[in-house]
Amino acid sequence: MSVEATLLETAGFSLELPESVRQVQEIVRRFAQERLAPHVRELDERQSLPLDLLREAGELGLMGIFVPQEYGGAGLGYYEYVAAIAELARVDGAFALSVAAHNSLCVGHIYYHGSEEQKRKYLPRLTSGEWLGAWALTEPNTGSDASNMDTVAVREGEGWRITGQKNFITHGISADVYVVIARTGERRTPRNATTFILEKGTPGLLPGKKEDKLGMRASETAWIGLDGVWVPDSQRIGAVGEGFHQAMQVLDGGRISIAALALGIARGAYEAALAYAEQRQQFGKPLLEHQAIAFKLADMAMELSAAELLTMRAAYLKNTGQPVTRFSSMAKYYASEVGVKICNEALQIFGGYGYIKDYPVEKYYRDIKLCTIGEGTSEIQQLVISRDLLREAGLA
């Protein structure tokens, strides 16, 4: 992400980016280059989640960016959050994904919807990086169809008995704290889900197989089993039946982080392609002086700027407490789709070298695709945006 200008203006909003955005960008860029970059290829090949580096990120305030300082967070906003995720993703999309999922999903759910007691119990250890968080909504048979989930929670004594299975869970094996959404009502009915906090080691909480993925390989993804897990009612987040509504609000913020993730990956690919085009000679002159390549780079730069503006507009709405659903979906949808296009064009500029792991665009190309799937597919974003437009027009 570029924050060279201090003022962004577009239809309907204008904003001044605070100096803290630039400061966060510089701190994260230094961390990413010095601590993360030397290990990216090894982490990718070994599919190894770098817990030590995540703890270091916590020491820098990156594991609780928008959480107030009273709960151990950095007390910043979504401009800084977008800048941090994008800078990490320029170097390693997988590490950025882990930081984003921890912040937006697990930490975000507890911060926005948890009780005061829950916030004080869990947030300081999560925001410091001492504990790692996971968020469990998706299931094998109910990806986008979340109101039809199979995982159920039934009242038992002074608590709840939870049974089911979740998959595609970031940090499903290594997490210390799991925020789990379970069905407490009939399928596909309003207010049929409730949220619970589970701690690592709870009897019946069974971390399962780690997925062998195309990209984002250093960000652990696994399924978890819930074999009659009993939790006291004090571990319930919010009222019974509010789980799905809470999850949708959490995803509003989470989609901004995926947009930032896509921005960072795409910018990393663009910058690598630009540098290569300046150096690589073909037919007696640099690739950059060939119109076909120059036009590709022009389109890539334009699409990055457009995606950045959409993402920052969503961040502005989130920071100012305004409805953000439509614009977070727009930002996530557009940034991820053009990110795939940009990474594809970057690999094309590299030619055969782009297909080799010694060059960075091969990994950008593999990593970016998840951004069109995670936290709601592109098709789901179209559905969210269109429904919001119809609602505004009084047609839904």
Side-chain angles (χ1 to χ4, degrees):
M1 192 190 73
S2 170
V3 290
E4 283 130 3
T6 58
L7 181 67
L8 285 173
E9 294 189 27
T10 189
F13 87 115
S14 64
L15 61 103
E16 290 187 16
L17 296 176
E19 179 60 25
S20 56
V21 175
R22 201 181 306 274
Q23 293 170 351
V24 166
Q25 191 177 40
E26 291 173 356
I27 290 168
V28 177
R29 183 175 295 171
R30 189 179 311 116
F31 169 79
Q33 291 294 337
E34 295 177 2
R35 301 292 298 128
L36 180 59
H39 309 291
V40 168
R41 182 166 178 179
E42 178 188 4
L43 293 171
D44 180 71
E45 291 178 350
R46 292 173 52 195
Q47 300 190 73
S48 179
L49 179 67
L51 292 171
D52 55 338
L53 291 177
L54 288 169
R55 281 189 286 270
E56 285 188 40
E59 292 170 4
L60 291 174
L62 302 181
M63 300 299 271
I65 295 175
F66 52 79
V67 174
Q69 293 179 355
E70 65 179 298
Y71 301 118
L76 299 172
Y78 266 72
Y79 303 147
E80 293 85 358
Y81 184 42
V82 167
I85 298 300
E87 281 299 323
L88 291 172
R90 284 176 69 215
V91 173
D92 185 11
F95 189 85
L97 173 62
S98 278
V99 172
H102 174 92
N103 272 276
S104 289
L105 302 180
C106 179
V107 169
H109 202 134
I110 295 172
Y111 170 57
Y112 288 117
H113 299 287
S115 67
E116 186 65 23
E117 182 181 356
Q118 289 167 344
K119 291 177 187 179
R120 295 200 178 278
K121 180 178 179 180
Y122 290 106
L123 289 180
R125 300 181 78 172
L126 287 165
T127 57
S128 68
E130 178 187 353
W131 278 358
L132 188 64
W135 193 74
L137 175 67
T138 302
E139 298 183 4
N141 296 318
T142 58
S144 300
D145 187 14
S147 67
N148 190 37
M149 67 178 72
D150 293 324
T151 298
V152 295
V154 179
R155 283 190 182 272
E156 183 178 302
E158 297 297 317
W160 298 80
R161 185 73 64 181
I162 307 173
T163 303
Q165 181 178 320
K166 300 289 185 177
N167 72 334
F168 299 144
I169 307 305
T170 303
H171 311 144
I173 295 171
S174 298
D176 300 283
V177 176
Y178 297 77
V179 172
V180 176
I181 298 95
R183 186 164 54 81
T184 49
E186 296 301 317
R187 295 179 185 273
R188 296 199 179 96
T189 59
R191 299 177 58 82
N192 75 342
T194 304
T195 309
F196 302 90
I197 302 174
L198 277 60
E199 295 184 17
K200 187 175 188 175
T202 300
L205 175 59
L206 308 172
K209 172 180 172 290
K210 182 167 71 173
E211 302 294 353
D212 188 3
K213 300 177 295 183
L214 169 71
M216 304 289 199
R217 291 169 63 81
S219 180
E220 177 186 280
T221 304
W223 62 265
I224 61 171
L226 300 153
D227 186 13
V229 175
W230 188 87
V231 293
D233 193 55
S234 60
Q235 295 300 98
R236 170 171 49 85
I237 298 181
V240 174
E242 286 187 350
F244 185 74
H245 180 67
Q246 293 172 2
M248 294 305 100
Q249 290 184 329
V250 167
L251 286 171
D252 280 346
R255 286 164 181 163
I256 297 173
S257 69
I258 298 298
L261 181 65
L263 269 178
I265 295 170
R267 185 166 294 282
Y270 164 77
E271 290 172 347
L274 178 61
Y276 183 79
E278 290 174 332
Q279 298 165 7
R280 173 72 167 168
Q281 296 275 331
Q282 289 285 277
F283 303 104
K285 59 183 179 181
L287 283 179
L288 190 58
E289 294 182 19
H290 293 274
Q291 190 178 75
I293 302 302
F295 280 10
K296 282 184 187 293
L297 290 163
D299 284 345
M300 292 158 74
M302 175 186 66
E303 288 160 347
L304 272 171
S305 292
E308 183 180 343
L309 279 171
L310 264 177
T311 304
M312 295 306 285
R313 181 169 189 176
Y316 164 79
L317 293 171
K318 185 71 174 173
N319 278 346
T320 53
Q322 299 182 60
V324 72
T325 299
R326 183 196 307 179
F327 281 97
S328 65
S329 283
M330 283 183 171
K332 192 268 189 192
Y333 176 36
Y334 185 78
S336 63
E337 289 291 340
V338 301
V340 169
K341 180 181 176 184
I342 288 166
C343 291
N344 181 64
E345 293 287 41
L347 195 150
Q348 194 72 16
I349 288 170
F350 271 80
Y353 291 113
Y355 209 65
I356 296 172
K357 287 182 179 290
D358 289 338
Y359 293 84
V361 293
E362 176 270 344
K363 183 176 183 299
Y364 290 128
Y365 184 80
R366 286 187 289 110
D367 284 350
I368 191 66
K369 183 57 189 171
L370 181 67
C371 296
T372 69
I373 299 169
E375 299 196 29
T377 63
S378 292
E379 292 76 16
I380 288 294
Q381 304 316 311
Q382 291 174 311
L383 182 64
V384 170
I385 296 163
S386 62
R387 282 179 175 174
D388 197 61
L389 291 170
L390 289 171
R391 203 161 27 242
E392 184 179 68
L395 301 174

